[in-house]
mmCIF file of all heavy atoms in Angstrom:
data_model
loop_
_atom_site.group_PDB
_atom_site.id
_atom_site.type_symbol
_atom_site.label_atom_id
_atom_site.label_comp_id
_atom_site.label_asym_id
_atom_site.label_seq_id
_atom_site.Cartn_x
_atom_site.Cartn_y
_atom_site.Cartn_z
ATOM 1 N N GLU D 220 59.464 131.953 102.579
ATOM 2 C CA GLU D 220 60.503 132.220 103.379
ATOM 3 C C GLU D 220 61.883 132.065 102.671
ATOM 4 O O GLU D 220 61.949 131.353 101.597
ATOM 5 C CB GLU D 220 60.543 131.343 104.686
ATOM 6 C CG GLU D 220 59.350 131.651 105.596
ATOM 7 C CD GLU D 220 59.530 131.236 107.019
ATOM 8 O OE1 GLU D 220 60.420 131.617 107.702
ATOM 9 O OE2 GLU D 220 58.675 130.304 107.431
ATOM 10 N N ARG D 221 62.933 132.520 103.134
ATOM 11 C CA ARG D 221 64.227 132.378 102.535
ATOM 12 C C ARG D 221 64.724 130.910 102.440
ATOM 13 O O ARG D 221 64.350 130.099 103.165
ATOM 14 C CB ARG D 221 65.373 133.050 103.322
ATOM 15 C CG ARG D 221 65.173 134.636 103.316
ATOM 16 C CD ARG D 221 66.095 135.363 104.222
ATOM 17 N NE ARG D 221 65.854 134.922 105.655
ATOM 18 C CZ ARG D 221 66.820 135.005 106.623
ATOM 19 N NH1 ARG D 221 68.071 135.501 106.295
ATOM 20 N NH2 ARG D 221 66.525 134.685 107.809
ATOM 21 N N LYS D 222 65.579 130.729 101.611
ATOM 22 C CA LYS D 222 66.095 129.335 101.254
ATOM 23 C C LYS D 222 66.728 128.705 102.399
ATOM 24 O O LYS D 222 66.626 127.484 102.745
ATOM 25 C CB LYS D 222 67.233 129.362 100.021
ATOM 26 C CG LYS D 222 67.699 127.950 99.706
ATOM 27 C CD LYS D 222 68.561 127.998 98.572
ATOM 28 C CE LYS D 222 69.187 126.602 98.234
ATOM 29 N NZ LYS D 222 69.963 126.067 99.306
ATOM 30 N N ILE D 223 67.469 129.530 103.263
ATOM 31 C CA ILE D 223 68.161 129.010 104.445
ATOM 32 C C ILE D 223 67.121 128.466 105.428
ATOM 33 O O ILE D 223 67.388 127.565 106.212
ATOM 34 C CB ILE D 223 68.962 130.097 105.062
ATOM 35 C CG1 ILE D 223 69.967 129.522 106.050
ATOM 36 C CG2 ILE D 223 68.253 131.250 105.770
ATOM 37 C CD1 ILE D 223 70.971 130.510 106.609
ATOM 38 N N MET D 224 65.926 128.998 105.547
ATOM 39 C CA MET D 224 64.831 128.634 106.407
ATOM 40 C C MET D 224 64.409 127.053 105.856
ATOM 41 O O MET D 224 64.081 126.187 106.617
ATOM 42 C CB MET D 224 63.647 129.467 106.358
ATOM 43 C CG MET D 224 64.038 130.852 106.881
ATOM 44 S SD MET D 224 64.856 130.940 108.564
ATOM 45 C CE MET D 224 63.475 130.482 109.595
ATOM 46 N N LYS D 225 64.207 126.949 104.613
ATOM 47 C CA LYS D 225 63.772 125.644 104.048
ATOM 48 C C LYS D 225 64.892 124.591 104.188
ATOM 49 O O LYS D 225 64.668 123.421 104.540
ATOM 50 C CB LYS D 225 63.406 125.766 102.489
ATOM 51 C CG LYS D 225 62.178 126.682 102.303
ATOM 52 C CD LYS D 225 62.133 127.099 100.877
ATOM 53 C CE LYS D 225 60.884 128.191 100.756
ATOM 54 N NZ LYS D 225 60.966 128.773 99.386
ATOM 55 N N ASP D 226 66.137 125.051 104.077
ATOM 56 C CA ASP D 226 67.188 124.136 104.329
ATOM 57 C C ASP D 226 67.393 123.810 105.761
ATOM 58 O O ASP D 226 67.754 122.672 106.147
ATOM 59 C CB ASP D 226 68.595 124.864 103.943
ATOM 60 C CG ASP D 226 68.780 125.029 102.450
ATOM 61 O OD1 ASP D 226 68.015 124.347 101.654
ATOM 62 O OD2 ASP D 226 69.555 125.792 101.990
ATOM 63 N N SER D 227 66.853 124.762 106.698
ATOM 64 C CA SER D 227 66.992 124.464 108.105
ATOM 65 C C SER D 227 65.838 123.376 108.449
ATOM 66 O O SER D 227 66.012 122.494 109.331
ATOM 67 C CB SER D 227 66.557 125.699 108.826
ATOM 68 O OG SER D 227 67.710 126.604 108.849
ATOM 69 N N MET D 228 64.750 123.442 107.757
ATOM 70 C CA MET D 228 63.704 122.366 107.939
ATOM 71 C C MET D 228 64.229 121.119 107.608
ATOM 72 O O MET D 228 63.999 120.139 108.346
ATOM 73 C CB MET D 228 62.504 122.826 107.094
ATOM 74 C CG MET D 228 61.323 121.822 107.276
ATOM 75 S SD MET D 228 60.006 121.955 106.094
ATOM 76 C CE MET D 228 60.826 121.233 104.597
ATOM 77 N N LYS D 229 64.851 120.979 106.505
ATOM 78 C CA LYS D 229 65.549 119.695 106.097
ATOM 79 C C LYS D 229 66.538 119.173 107.143
ATOM 80 O O LYS D 229 66.563 118.019 107.412
ATOM 81 C CB LYS D 229 66.133 119.764 104.775
ATOM 82 C CG LYS D 229 65.123 120.058 103.587
ATOM 83 C CD LYS D 229 65.846 120.297 102.256
ATOM 84 C CE LYS D 229 64.842 120.666 101.174
ATOM 85 N NZ LYS D 229 65.635 120.898 99.859
ATOM 86 N N GLU D 230 67.221 120.153 107.600
ATOM 87 C CA GLU D 230 68.252 119.795 108.630
ATOM 88 C C GLU D 230 67.580 119.223 109.909
ATOM 89 O O GLU D 230 68.097 118.157 110.504
ATOM 90 C CB GLU D 230 69.082 121.130 108.986
ATOM 91 C CG GLU D 230 70.326 120.879 109.861
ATOM 92 C CD GLU D 230 71.572 120.375 109.059
ATOM 93 O OE1 GLU D 230 71.529 120.314 107.832
ATOM 94 O OE2 GLU D 230 72.479 119.953 109.675
ATOM 95 N N VAL D 231 66.521 119.674 110.295
ATOM 96 C CA VAL D 231 65.819 119.260 111.416
ATOM 97 C C VAL D 231 65.303 117.950 111.213
ATOM 98 O O VAL D 231 65.487 116.962 112.018
ATOM 99 C CB VAL D 231 64.692 120.227 111.934
ATOM 100 C CG1 VAL D 231 63.934 119.605 113.093
ATOM 101 C CG2 VAL D 231 65.337 121.595 112.397
ATOM 102 N N THR D 232 64.627 117.746 110.129
ATOM 103 C CA THR D 232 63.938 116.489 109.816
ATOM 104 C C THR D 232 64.977 115.401 109.645
ATOM 105 O O THR D 232 64.778 114.218 109.930
ATOM 106 C CB THR D 232 63.028 116.589 108.638
ATOM 107 O OG1 THR D 232 63.713 116.994 107.499
ATOM 108 C CG2 THR D 232 61.876 117.451 108.924
ATOM 109 N N ASN D 233 66.141 115.717 109.048
ATOM 110 C CA ASN D 233 67.196 114.696 108.874
ATOM 111 C C ASN D 233 67.769 114.270 110.186
ATOM 112 O O ASN D 233 68.532 113.296 110.246
ATOM 113 C CB ASN D 233 68.259 115.333 108.001
ATOM 114 C CG ASN D 233 67.969 115.421 106.531
ATOM 115 O OD1 ASN D 233 66.954 114.736 106.066
ATOM 116 N ND2 ASN D 233 68.467 116.226 105.711
ATOM 117 N N ASN D 234 67.610 115.025 111.194
ATOM 118 C CA ASN D 234 68.094 114.697 112.478
ATOM 119 C C ASN D 234 67.132 114.050 113.435
ATOM 120 O O ASN D 234 67.406 113.966 114.711
ATOM 121 C CB ASN D 234 68.775 115.960 113.215
ATOM 122 C CG ASN D 234 70.223 116.283 112.794
ATOM 123 O OD1 ASN D 234 71.096 115.717 113.312
ATOM 124 N ND2 ASN D 234 70.327 116.958 111.673
ATOM 125 N N SER D 235 66.092 113.679 112.905
ATOM 126 C CA SER D 235 64.953 113.077 113.762
ATOM 127 C C SER D 235 64.267 111.969 112.995
ATOM 128 O O SER D 235 63.743 112.295 111.907
ATOM 129 C CB SER D 235 64.064 114.074 114.229
ATOM 130 O OG SER D 235 62.941 113.423 115.006
ATOM 131 N N SER D 236 64.289 110.788 113.531
ATOM 132 C CA SER D 236 63.527 109.712 112.786
ATOM 133 C C SER D 236 62.027 109.719 112.925
ATOM 134 O O SER D 236 61.217 109.073 112.277
ATOM 135 C CB SER D 236 64.025 108.346 113.343
ATOM 136 O OG SER D 236 63.860 108.350 114.717
ATOM 137 N N ASN D 237 61.546 110.627 113.860
ATOM 138 C CA ASN D 237 60.133 110.771 114.161
ATOM 139 C C ASN D 237 59.552 112.113 113.654
ATOM 140 O O ASN D 237 58.608 112.608 114.262
ATOM 141 C CB ASN D 237 59.865 110.609 115.648
ATOM 142 C CG ASN D 237 60.265 109.320 116.216
ATOM 143 O OD1 ASN D 237 59.923 108.256 115.560
ATOM 144 N ND2 ASN D 237 60.884 109.309 117.410
ATOM 145 N N SER D 238 60.115 112.632 112.624
ATOM 146 C CA SER D 238 59.653 113.982 112.095
ATOM 147 C C SER D 238 59.208 113.996 110.659
ATOM 148 O O SER D 238 59.505 113.152 109.887
ATOM 149 C CB SER D 238 60.836 115.004 112.263
ATOM 150 O OG SER D 238 61.920 114.590 111.358
ATOM 151 N N LYS D 239 58.476 114.985 110.419
ATOM 152 C CA LYS D 239 58.093 115.348 109.018
ATOM 153 C C LYS D 239 58.091 116.858 108.861
ATOM 154 O O LYS D 239 57.782 117.540 109.789
ATOM 155 C CB LYS D 239 56.755 114.636 108.663
ATOM 156 C CG LYS D 239 55.551 115.093 109.431
ATOM 157 C CD LYS D 239 54.275 114.402 109.067
ATOM 158 C CE LYS D 239 53.157 114.643 109.897
ATOM 159 N NZ LYS D 239 51.906 113.888 109.535
ATOM 160 N N GLY D 240 58.393 117.302 107.594
ATOM 161 C CA GLY D 240 58.392 118.611 107.291
ATOM 162 C C GLY D 240 57.300 119.016 106.303
ATOM 163 O O GLY D 240 56.943 118.318 105.471
ATOM 164 N N VAL D 241 56.832 120.163 106.420
ATOM 165 C CA VAL D 241 55.757 120.768 105.572
ATOM 166 C C VAL D 241 56.035 122.056 105.080
ATOM 167 O O VAL D 241 56.364 123.019 105.911
ATOM 168 C CB VAL D 241 54.368 120.803 106.335
ATOM 169 C CG1 VAL D 241 53.275 121.418 105.424
ATOM 170 C CG2 VAL D 241 53.950 119.465 106.704
ATOM 171 N N ILE D 242 56.042 122.343 103.839
ATOM 172 C CA ILE D 242 56.226 123.652 103.335
ATOM 173 C C ILE D 242 54.808 124.278 102.941
ATOM 174 O O ILE D 242 54.025 123.682 102.224
ATOM 175 C CB ILE D 242 57.117 123.709 101.936
ATOM 176 C CG1 ILE D 242 58.503 123.275 102.329
ATOM 177 C CG2 ILE D 242 57.125 125.117 101.290
ATOM 178 C CD1 ILE D 242 59.480 123.231 101.145
ATOM 179 N N LEU D 243 54.535 125.420 103.544
ATOM 180 C CA LEU D 243 53.102 125.978 103.458
ATOM 181 C C LEU D 243 53.080 126.985 102.316
ATOM 182 O O LEU D 243 53.766 127.936 102.233
ATOM 183 C CB LEU D 243 52.846 126.639 104.797
ATOM 184 C CG LEU D 243 52.963 125.786 106.009
ATOM 185 C CD1 LEU D 243 53.199 126.577 107.223
ATOM 186 C CD2 LEU D 243 51.655 125.001 106.092
ATOM 187 N N PRO D 244 52.216 126.660 101.296
ATOM 188 C CA PRO D 244 52.018 127.623 100.138
ATOM 189 C C PRO D 244 51.624 129.047 100.441
ATOM 190 O O PRO D 244 50.767 129.219 101.431
ATOM 191 C CB PRO D 244 51.051 126.855 99.222
ATOM 192 C CG PRO D 244 50.270 125.991 100.111
ATOM 193 C CD PRO D 244 51.273 125.513 101.261
#
Side-chain angles (χ1 to χ4, degrees):
E220 295 199 63
R221 293 174 297 160
K222 181 179 181 295
I223 195 170
M224 303 301 289
K225 295 166 188 171
D226 290 343
S227 289
M228 181 191 75
K229 292 176 184 176
E230 189 83 7
V231 175
T232 56
N233 288 341
N234 275 272
S235 172
S236 59
N237 296 317
S238 66
K239 58 183 176 182
V241 177
I242 296 179
L243 303 153

